[in-house]
mmCIF file of all heavy atoms in Angstrom:
data_model
loop_
_atom_site.group_PDB
_atom_site.id
_atom_site.type_symbol
_atom_site.label_atom_id
_atom_site.label_comp_id
_atom_site.label_asym_id
_atom_site.label_seq_id
_atom_site.Cartn_x
_atom_site.Cartn_y
_atom_site.Cartn_z
ATOM 1 N N GLU A 223 145.819 124.232 128.468
ATOM 2 C CA GLU A 223 145.482 125.175 129.525
ATOM 3 C C GLU A 223 146.314 126.446 129.436
ATOM 4 O O GLU A 223 147.460 126.433 128.986
ATOM 5 C CB GLU A 223 145.665 124.531 130.912
ATOM 6 C CG GLU A 223 147.087 124.178 131.257
ATOM 7 C CD GLU A 223 147.231 123.710 132.707
ATOM 8 O OE1 GLU A 223 146.226 123.719 133.454
ATOM 9 O OE2 GLU A 223 148.360 123.353 133.098
ATOM 10 N N PHE A 224 145.715 127.509 129.895
ATOM 11 C CA PHE A 224 146.358 128.813 129.911
ATOM 12 C C PHE A 224 147.496 128.843 130.925
ATOM 13 O O PHE A 224 147.370 128.323 132.040
ATOM 14 C CB PHE A 224 145.316 129.876 130.265
ATOM 15 C CG PHE A 224 145.879 131.244 130.512
ATOM 16 C CD1 PHE A 224 146.271 132.046 129.451
ATOM 17 C CD2 PHE A 224 146.012 131.730 131.804
ATOM 18 C CE1 PHE A 224 146.786 133.302 129.673
ATOM 19 C CE2 PHE A 224 146.524 132.985 132.048
ATOM 20 C CZ PHE A 224 146.910 133.776 130.983
ATOM 21 N N VAL A 225 148.599 129.473 130.530
ATOM 22 C CA VAL A 225 149.730 129.640 131.438
ATOM 23 C C VAL A 225 149.955 131.121 131.732
ATOM 24 O O VAL A 225 149.986 131.527 132.894
ATOM 25 C CB VAL A 225 151.014 129.031 130.832
ATOM 26 C CG1 VAL A 225 152.212 129.311 131.734
ATOM 27 C CG2 VAL A 225 150.843 127.535 130.602
ATOM 28 N N ALA A 226 150.124 131.915 130.675
ATOM 29 C CA ALA A 226 150.421 133.340 130.867
ATOM 30 C C ALA A 226 150.131 134.083 129.569
ATOM 31 O O ALA A 226 150.084 133.483 128.492
ATOM 32 C CB ALA A 226 151.882 133.552 131.269
ATOM 33 N N ALA A 227 149.953 135.395 129.699
ATOM 34 C CA ALA A 227 149.723 136.228 128.526
ATOM 35 C C ALA A 227 150.266 137.629 128.774
ATOM 36 O O ALA A 227 150.410 138.057 129.929
ATOM 37 C CB ALA A 227 148.236 136.294 128.184
ATOM 38 N N ILE A 228 150.539 138.321 127.675
ATOM 39 C CA ILE A 228 151.031 139.683 127.752
ATOM 40 C C ILE A 228 150.430 140.494 126.611
ATOM 41 O O ILE A 228 150.351 140.018 125.478
ATOM 42 C CB ILE A 228 152.584 139.716 127.709
ATOM 43 C CG1 ILE A 228 153.109 141.131 127.917
ATOM 44 C CG2 ILE A 228 153.113 139.115 126.406
ATOM 45 C CD1 ILE A 228 154.617 141.183 128.184
ATOM 46 N N ARG A 229 149.982 141.683 126.922
ATOM 47 C CA ARG A 229 149.508 142.598 125.883
ATOM 48 C C ARG A 229 150.750 143.311 125.341
ATOM 49 O O ARG A 229 151.462 143.980 126.105
ATOM 50 C CB ARG A 229 148.519 143.596 126.445
ATOM 51 C CG ARG A 229 147.264 142.942 127.014
ATOM 52 C CD ARG A 229 146.211 143.980 127.313
ATOM 53 N NE ARG A 229 145.133 143.465 128.148
ATOM 54 C CZ ARG A 229 144.077 142.820 127.711
ATOM 55 N NH1 ARG A 229 143.936 142.589 126.408
ATOM 56 N NH2 ARG A 229 143.144 142.401 128.562
ATOM 57 N N TRP A 230 150.981 143.167 124.037
ATOM 58 C CA TRP A 230 152.267 143.582 123.499
ATOM 59 C C TRP A 230 152.546 145.060 123.741
ATOM 60 O O TRP A 230 153.622 145.441 124.164
ATOM 61 C CB TRP A 230 152.319 143.277 121.998
ATOM 62 C CG TRP A 230 153.727 143.330 121.492
ATOM 63 C CD1 TRP A 230 154.503 144.438 121.323
ATOM 64 C CD2 TRP A 230 154.535 142.215 121.107
ATOM 65 N NE1 TRP A 230 155.738 144.076 120.860
ATOM 66 C CE2 TRP A 230 155.787 142.735 120.718
ATOM 67 C CE3 TRP A 230 154.314 140.848 121.060
ATOM 68 C CZ2 TRP A 230 156.824 141.914 120.284
ATOM 69 C CZ3 TRP A 230 155.355 140.032 120.621
ATOM 70 C CH2 TRP A 230 156.581 140.560 120.240
ATOM 71 N N SER A 231 151.574 145.923 123.468
ATOM 72 C CA SER A 231 151.818 147.362 123.590
ATOM 73 C C SER A 231 151.938 147.805 125.043
ATOM 74 O O SER A 231 152.907 148.460 125.423
ATOM 75 C CB SER A 231 150.690 148.140 122.910
ATOM 76 O OG SER A 231 150.735 147.968 121.524
ATOM 77 N N ALA A 232 150.957 147.430 125.836
ATOM 78 C CA ALA A 232 150.906 147.914 127.217
ATOM 79 C C ALA A 232 151.872 147.165 128.126
ATOM 80 O O ALA A 232 152.280 147.695 129.163
ATOM 81 C CB ALA A 232 149.492 147.796 127.754
ATOM 82 N N GLY A 233 152.169 145.923 127.776
ATOM 83 C CA GLY A 233 153.021 145.117 128.631
ATOM 84 C C GLY A 233 152.308 144.505 129.817
ATOM 85 O O GLY A 233 152.953 143.916 130.687
ATOM 86 N N SER A 234 150.986 144.635 129.850
ATOM 87 C CA SER A 234 150.217 144.038 130.948
ATOM 88 C C SER A 234 150.349 142.520 130.899
ATOM 89 O O SER A 234 150.299 141.923 129.828
ATOM 90 C CB SER A 234 148.740 144.416 130.815
ATOM 91 O OG SER A 234 148.579 145.799 130.663
ATOM 92 N N THR A 235 150.500 141.921 132.065
ATOM 93 C CA THR A 235 150.704 140.473 132.128
ATOM 94 C C THR A 235 149.614 139.790 132.947
ATOM 95 O O THR A 235 149.031 140.391 133.859
ATOM 96 C CB THR A 235 152.073 140.151 132.727
ATOM 97 O OG1 THR A 235 152.164 140.732 134.034
ATOM 98 C CG2 THR A 235 153.199 140.690 131.863
ATOM 99 N N TYR A 236 149.389 138.534 132.610
ATOM 100 C CA TYR A 236 148.349 137.731 133.252
ATOM 101 C C TYR A 236 148.899 136.325 133.437
ATOM 102 O O TYR A 236 149.606 135.821 132.569
ATOM 103 C CB TYR A 236 147.088 137.693 132.376
ATOM 104 C CG TYR A 236 146.602 139.058 131.997
ATOM 105 C CD1 TYR A 236 147.166 139.756 130.933
ATOM 106 C CD2 TYR A 236 145.580 139.666 132.703
ATOM 107 C CE1 TYR A 236 146.744 141.017 130.586
ATOM 108 C CE2 TYR A 236 145.135 140.941 132.362
ATOM 109 C CZ TYR A 236 145.725 141.608 131.305
ATOM 110 O OH TYR A 236 145.288 142.861 130.976
ATOM 111 N N TYR A 237 148.543 135.700 134.555
ATOM 112 C CA TYR A 237 149.079 134.376 134.860
ATOM 113 C C TYR A 237 148.001 133.449 135.396
ATOM 114 O O TYR A 237 147.064 133.875 136.071
ATOM 115 C CB TYR A 237 150.182 134.494 135.921
ATOM 116 C CG TYR A 237 151.389 135.278 135.467
ATOM 117 C CD1 TYR A 237 151.508 136.625 135.758
ATOM 118 C CD2 TYR A 237 152.411 134.654 134.747
ATOM 119 C CE1 TYR A 237 152.605 137.362 135.332
ATOM 120 C CE2 TYR A 237 153.509 135.375 134.318
ATOM 121 C CZ TYR A 237 153.605 136.724 134.617
ATOM 122 O OH TYR A 237 154.686 137.441 134.190
ATOM 123 N N ALA A 238 148.181 132.175 135.104
ATOM 124 C CA ALA A 238 147.374 131.167 135.770
ATOM 125 C C ALA A 238 147.811 131.097 137.228
ATOM 126 O O ALA A 238 148.996 131.297 137.544
ATOM 127 C CB ALA A 238 147.567 129.813 135.094
ATOM 128 N N ASP A 239 146.882 130.793 138.099
ATOM 129 C CA ASP A 239 147.210 130.722 139.525
ATOM 130 C C ASP A 239 148.316 129.702 139.798
ATOM 131 O O ASP A 239 149.133 129.886 140.706
ATOM 132 C CB ASP A 239 145.960 130.349 140.333
ATOM 133 C CG ASP A 239 144.954 131.487 140.399
ATOM 134 O OD1 ASP A 239 145.335 132.639 140.111
ATOM 135 O OD2 ASP A 239 143.786 131.214 140.745
ATOM 136 N N SER A 240 148.339 128.641 139.008
ATOM 137 C CA SER A 240 149.291 127.558 139.248
ATOM 138 C C SER A 240 150.741 127.959 138.977
ATOM 139 O O SER A 240 151.661 127.278 139.434
ATOM 140 C CB SER A 240 148.923 126.355 138.387
ATOM 141 O OG SER A 240 148.942 126.692 137.015
ATOM 142 N N VAL A 241 150.953 129.049 138.234
ATOM 143 C CA VAL A 241 152.319 129.451 137.901
ATOM 144 C C VAL A 241 152.691 130.820 138.472
ATOM 145 O O VAL A 241 153.853 131.237 138.367
ATOM 146 C CB VAL A 241 152.546 129.448 136.379
ATOM 147 C CG1 VAL A 241 152.154 128.101 135.774
ATOM 148 C CG2 VAL A 241 151.812 130.589 135.692
ATOM 149 N N LYS A 242 151.724 131.492 139.066
ATOM 150 C CA LYS A 242 151.972 132.844 139.572
ATOM 151 C C LYS A 242 153.084 132.811 140.611
ATOM 152 O O LYS A 242 153.097 131.969 141.510
ATOM 153 C CB LYS A 242 150.679 133.394 140.180
ATOM 154 C CG LYS A 242 150.614 134.895 140.275
ATOM 155 C CD LYS A 242 149.217 135.347 140.690
ATOM 156 C CE LYS A 242 148.191 135.038 139.631
ATOM 157 N NZ LYS A 242 146.839 135.540 139.997
ATOM 158 N N GLY A 243 154.040 133.722 140.467
ATOM 159 C CA GLY A 243 155.162 133.775 141.389
ATOM 160 C C GLY A 243 156.343 132.922 140.961
ATOM 161 O O GLY A 243 157.442 133.057 141.501
ATOM 162 N N ARG A 244 156.116 132.025 139.998
ATOM 163 C CA ARG A 244 157.203 131.163 139.513
ATOM 164 C C ARG A 244 157.563 131.464 138.053
ATOM 165 O O ARG A 244 158.731 131.335 137.670
ATOM 166 C CB ARG A 244 156.799 129.693 139.624
ATOM 167 C CG ARG A 244 156.496 129.239 141.038
ATOM 168 C CD ARG A 244 156.296 127.721 141.092
ATOM 169 N NE ARG A 244 155.140 127.273 140.306
ATOM 170 C CZ ARG A 244 155.222 126.401 139.314
ATOM 171 N NH1 ARG A 244 156.382 125.855 138.983
ATOM 172 N NH2 ARG A 244 154.120 126.035 138.642
ATOM 173 N N PHE A 245 156.574 131.832 137.253
ATOM 174 C CA PHE A 245 156.794 132.095 135.832
ATOM 175 C C PHE A 245 156.683 133.590 135.563
ATOM 176 O O PHE A 245 155.906 134.298 136.225
ATOM 177 C CB PHE A 245 155.743 131.381 134.984
ATOM 178 C CG PHE A 245 155.867 129.879 134.938
ATOM 179 C CD1 PHE A 245 156.716 129.175 135.784
ATOM 180 C CD2 PHE A 245 155.121 129.149 134.024
ATOM 181 C CE1 PHE A 245 156.814 127.792 135.747
ATOM 182 C CE2 PHE A 245 155.209 127.775 133.955
ATOM 183 C CZ PHE A 245 156.051 127.100 134.821
ATOM 184 N N THR A 246 157.442 134.049 134.569
ATOM 185 C CA THR A 246 157.386 135.443 134.160
ATOM 186 C C THR A 246 157.333 135.523 132.644
ATOM 187 O O THR A 246 158.199 134.969 131.971
ATOM 188 C CB THR A 246 158.594 136.234 134.658
ATOM 189 O OG1 THR A 246 158.682 136.136 136.092
ATOM 190 C CG2 THR A 246 158.476 137.703 134.277
ATOM 191 N N ILE A 247 156.332 136.215 132.121
ATOM 192 C CA ILE A 247 156.232 136.439 130.682
ATOM 193 C C ILE A 247 156.736 137.842 130.385
ATOM 194 O O ILE A 247 156.489 138.783 131.147
ATOM 195 C CB ILE A 247 154.776 136.238 130.184
ATOM 196 C CG1 ILE A 247 154.711 136.281 128.661
ATOM 197 C CG2 ILE A 247 153.829 137.253 130.820
ATOM 198 C CD1 ILE A 247 153.352 135.870 128.093
ATOM 199 N N SER A 248 157.455 137.960 129.270
ATOM 200 C CA SER A 248 157.979 139.271 128.868
ATOM 201 C C SER A 248 158.110 139.299 127.360
ATOM 202 O O SER A 248 157.970 138.279 126.689
ATOM 203 C CB SER A 248 159.329 139.526 129.530
ATOM 204 O OG SER A 248 160.283 138.566 129.115
ATOM 205 N N ARG A 249 158.371 140.484 126.803
ATOM 206 C CA ARG A 249 158.574 140.588 125.367
ATOM 207 C C ARG A 249 159.696 141.567 125.070
ATOM 208 O O ARG A 249 159.937 142.508 125.832
ATOM 209 C CB ARG A 249 157.285 140.948 124.619
ATOM 210 C CG ARG A 249 156.897 142.428 124.506
ATOM 211 C CD ARG A 249 156.475 143.101 125.518
ATOM 212 N NE ARG A 249 155.856 144.381 125.382
ATOM 213 C CZ ARG A 249 156.205 145.335 126.201
ATOM 214 N NH1 ARG A 249 157.185 145.154 127.043
ATOM 215 N NH2 ARG A 249 155.559 146.473 126.166
ATOM 216 N N ASP A 250 160.356 141.298 123.957
ATOM 217 C CA ASP A 250 161.436 142.151 123.474
ATOM 218 C C ASP A 250 160.972 142.736 122.144
ATOM 219 O O ASP A 250 160.883 142.029 121.147
ATOM 220 C CB ASP A 250 162.707 141.318 123.298
ATOM 221 C CG ASP A 250 163.903 142.175 122.893
ATOM 222 O OD1 ASP A 250 163.725 143.146 122.131
ATOM 223 O OD2 ASP A 250 165.015 141.844 123.320
ATOM 224 N N ASN A 251 160.677 144.015 122.156
ATOM 225 C CA ASN A 251 160.134 144.653 120.949
ATOM 226 C C ASN A 251 161.122 144.597 119.787
ATOM 227 O O ASN A 251 160.743 144.358 118.643
ATOM 228 C CB ASN A 251 159.776 146.106 121.237
ATOM 229 C CG ASN A 251 158.572 146.221 122.139
ATOM 230 O OD1 ASN A 251 157.717 145.346 122.164
ATOM 231 N ND2 ASN A 251 158.501 147.297 122.900
ATOM 232 N N ALA A 252 162.376 144.810 120.068
ATOM 233 C CA ALA A 252 163.387 144.851 119.013
ATOM 234 C C ALA A 252 163.547 143.498 118.326
ATOM 235 O O ALA A 252 163.804 143.426 117.128
ATOM 236 C CB ALA A 252 164.718 145.316 119.589
ATOM 237 N N LYS A 253 163.386 142.432 119.100
ATOM 238 C CA LYS A 253 163.573 141.080 118.552
ATOM 239 C C LYS A 253 162.250 140.424 118.166
ATOM 240 O O LYS A 253 162.255 139.295 117.668
ATOM 241 C CB LYS A 253 164.299 140.200 119.561
ATOM 242 C CG LYS A 253 165.713 140.663 119.874
ATOM 243 C CD LYS A 253 166.407 139.713 120.830
ATOM 244 C CE LYS A 253 167.836 140.151 121.095
ATOM 245 N NZ LYS A 253 168.529 139.244 122.036
ATOM 246 N N ASN A 254 161.141 141.101 118.419
ATOM 247 C CA ASN A 254 159.825 140.516 118.146
ATOM 248 C C ASN A 254 159.693 139.140 118.789
ATOM 249 O O ASN A 254 159.221 138.171 118.155
ATOM 250 C CB ASN A 254 159.593 140.400 116.639
ATOM 251 C CG ASN A 254 158.525 141.361 116.155
ATOM 252 O OD1 ASN A 254 158.208 142.339 116.822
ATOM 253 N ND2 ASN A 254 157.966 141.079 114.994
ATOM 254 N N THR A 255 160.112 139.057 120.019
ATOM 255 C CA THR A 255 160.156 137.768 120.715
ATOM 256 C C THR A 255 159.478 137.882 122.078
ATOM 257 O O THR A 255 159.636 138.884 122.770
ATOM 258 C CB THR A 255 161.613 137.296 120.885
ATOM 259 O OG1 THR A 255 162.201 137.139 119.587
ATOM 260 C CG2 THR A 255 161.681 135.977 121.638
ATOM 261 N N VAL A 256 158.743 136.850 122.415
ATOM 262 C CA VAL A 256 158.107 136.737 123.719
ATOM 263 C C VAL A 256 158.803 135.623 124.486
ATOM 264 O O VAL A 256 159.137 134.586 123.910
ATOM 265 C CB VAL A 256 156.607 136.430 123.576
ATOM 266 C CG1 VAL A 256 155.961 136.232 124.946
ATOM 267 C CG2 VAL A 256 155.912 137.555 122.823
ATOM 268 N N TYR A 257 159.003 135.841 125.762
ATOM 269 C CA TYR A 257 159.706 134.873 126.599
ATOM 270 C C TYR A 257 158.800 134.384 127.729
ATOM 271 O O TYR A 257 157.899 135.092 128.178
ATOM 272 C CB TYR A 257 160.958 135.508 127.218
ATOM 273 C CG TYR A 257 161.930 136.039 126.202
ATOM 274 C CD1 TYR A 257 161.974 137.399 125.893
ATOM 275 C CD2 TYR A 257 162.813 135.186 125.545
ATOM 276 C CE1 TYR A 257 162.862 137.894 124.963
ATOM 277 C CE2 TYR A 257 163.716 135.671 124.611
ATOM 278 C CZ TYR A 257 163.731 137.027 124.328
ATOM 279 O OH TYR A 257 164.621 137.507 123.393
ATOM 280 N N LEU A 258 159.093 133.182 128.178
ATOM 281 C CA LEU A 258 158.464 132.659 129.385
ATOM 282 C C LEU A 258 159.575 132.103 130.262
ATOM 283 O O LEU A 258 160.142 131.054 129.959
ATOM 284 C CB LEU A 258 157.438 131.569 129.067
ATOM 285 C CG LEU A 258 156.652 131.063 130.278
ATOM 286 C CD1 LEU A 258 155.726 132.164 130.810
ATOM 287 C CD2 LEU A 258 155.841 129.819 129.932
ATOM 288 N N GLN A 259 159.912 132.855 131.290
ATOM 289 C CA GLN A 259 160.913 132.398 132.260
ATOM 290 C C GLN A 259 160.209 131.544 133.295
ATOM 291 O O GLN A 259 159.280 132.019 133.960
ATOM 292 C CB GLN A 259 161.590 133.597 132.931
ATOM 293 C CG GLN A 259 162.608 133.214 133.994
ATOM 294 C CD GLN A 259 163.814 132.494 133.425
ATOM 295 O OE1 GLN A 259 164.355 132.893 132.398
ATOM 296 N NE2 GLN A 259 164.239 131.429 134.094
ATOM 297 N N MET A 260 160.662 130.306 133.420
ATOM 298 C CA MET A 260 160.015 129.363 134.325
ATOM 299 C C MET A 260 161.008 128.948 135.410
ATOM 300 O O MET A 260 162.048 128.361 135.102
ATOM 301 C CB MET A 260 159.537 128.129 133.541
ATOM 302 C CG MET A 260 158.652 128.467 132.359
ATOM 303 S SD MET A 260 157.949 127.015 131.555
ATOM 304 C CE MET A 260 159.429 126.243 130.926
ATOM 305 N N ASN A 261 160.696 129.290 136.643
ATOM 306 C CA ASN A 261 161.538 128.955 137.789
ATOM 307 C C ASN A 261 160.806 128.004 138.727
ATOM 308 O O ASN A 261 159.582 127.863 138.653
ATOM 309 C CB ASN A 261 161.924 130.231 138.540
ATOM 310 C CG ASN A 261 162.727 131.192 137.701
ATOM 311 O OD1 ASN A 261 163.488 130.801 136.807
ATOM 312 N ND2 ASN A 261 162.571 132.480 137.961
ATOM 313 N N SER A 262 161.554 127.387 139.602
ATOM 314 C CA SER A 262 160.977 126.467 140.592
ATOM 315 C C SER A 262 160.030 125.476 139.930
ATOM 316 O O SER A 262 158.898 125.256 140.381
ATOM 317 C CB SER A 262 160.229 127.263 141.676
ATOM 318 O OG SER A 262 161.092 128.182 142.307
ATOM 319 N N LEU A 263 160.509 124.860 138.872
ATOM 320 C CA LEU A 263 159.661 123.963 138.095
ATOM 321 C C LEU A 263 159.256 122.733 138.907
ATOM 322 O O LEU A 263 160.027 122.222 139.728
ATOM 323 C CB LEU A 263 160.371 123.556 136.818
ATOM 324 C CG LEU A 263 160.364 124.643 135.728
ATOM 325 C CD1 LEU A 263 161.439 124.387 134.681
ATOM 326 C CD2 LEU A 263 158.995 124.724 135.075
ATOM 327 N N LYS A 264 158.034 122.286 138.622
ATOM 328 C CA LYS A 264 157.468 121.118 139.288
ATOM 329 C C LYS A 264 157.121 120.068 138.239
ATOM 330 O O LYS A 264 156.963 120.390 137.054
ATOM 331 C CB LYS A 264 156.200 121.517 140.042
ATOM 332 C CG LYS A 264 156.376 122.658 141.022
ATOM 333 C CD LYS A 264 155.037 123.052 141.628
ATOM 334 C CE LYS A 264 155.173 124.218 142.586
ATOM 335 N NZ LYS A 264 153.870 124.616 143.172
#
């Protein structure tokens, strides 16, 4: 199932309803790395 996505250039983010407000997707251009910060885990 889908959790989150990010458009690399624009930085636009998208989330599944089940994780919205708890998870954050981001990217670091210099490190070529995408992150998923997950808080309030269930």
Side-chain angles (χ1 to χ4, degrees):
E223 66 173 357
F224 172 77
V225 175
I228 185 168
R229 298 191 194 275
W230 196 289
S231 291
S234 309
T235 58
Y236 307 82
Y237 296 95
D239 288 343
S240 59
V241 307
K242 202 171 294 183
R244 299 188 297 122
F245 290 11
T246 303
I247 188 171
S248 62
R249 85 289 193 224
D250 184 324
N251 290 333
K253 296 183 178 180
N254 249 19
T255 299
V256 177
Y257 302 100
L258 185 68
Q259 178 66 44
M260 306 186 295
N261 298 329
S262 302
L263 283 161
K264 305 175 182 179

